[in-house]
Amino acid sequence: GQQVPQSEILRQWVEFLESNPQSQISTDQWVPRHPDTQGVLKPDVTMFGEPLPTGALGASWKAVLGSGVCLVVGTGLNVVPASLVPGLVKWRWGTLIIANLDTSGVDAANIFLQG
């Protein structure tokens, strides 16, 4: 499919919410659409339940094993196999930095940032 900037998804969400202030994401059934093809737009992330892109896990392991520091932001580290990746840097005696709004990952991190 044709790619658009991630900002297009955000622009459409803001436009929709401003014109439908009573709408709730859990019930509104609205989705952002590609401006030319009208196909459904989704962020450039892997959603829960979706398979990882081909080669993504191996590439992440290679990157982490070649790094002395791993920064993890905004995850509970609960979904395998991705949850295994940050621990690889600690296995190599590297530094694992975790930043979360809640205390998820506090026990695993060398450095934990909350807020």
Side-chain angles (χ1 to χ4, degrees):
Q2 296 178 335
Q3 289 189 320
V4 296
Q6 296 295 304
S7 60
E8 175 63 19
I9 296 171
L10 294 175
R11 185 196 67 73
Q12 287 188 29
W13 277 114
V14 168
E15 184 179 287
F16 175 78
L17 291 174
E18 286 176 349
S19 60
N20 299 279
Q22 301 302 319
S23 180
Q24 294 191 8
I25 195 168
S26 60
T27 59
D28 64 37
Q29 302 296 312
W30 179 85
V31 295
R33 299 280 177 179
H34 191 283
D36 297 328
T37 67
Q38 294 306 304
V40 174
L41 291 177
K42 70 179 258 339
D44 192 16
V45 297
T46 302
M47 301 292 194
F48 188 79
E50 292 180 327
L52 292 172
T54 303
L57 189 60
S60 67
W61 287 20
K62 183 177 179 181
V64 166
L65 289 172
S67 175
V69 177
C70 181
L71 175 63
V72 177
V73 179
T75 179
L77 296 172
N78 295 321
V79 180
V80 174
S83 64
L84 304 174
V85 175
L88 292 174
V89 77
K90 286 187 76 173
W91 176 73
R92 290 192 59 251
W93 303 101
T95 302
L96 178 58
I97 303 169
I98 298 178
N100 267 324
L101 292 176
D102 60 18
T103 59
S104 297
V106 68
D107 296 329
N110 296 103
I111 300 170
F112 183 79
L113 307 168
Q114 185 176 0

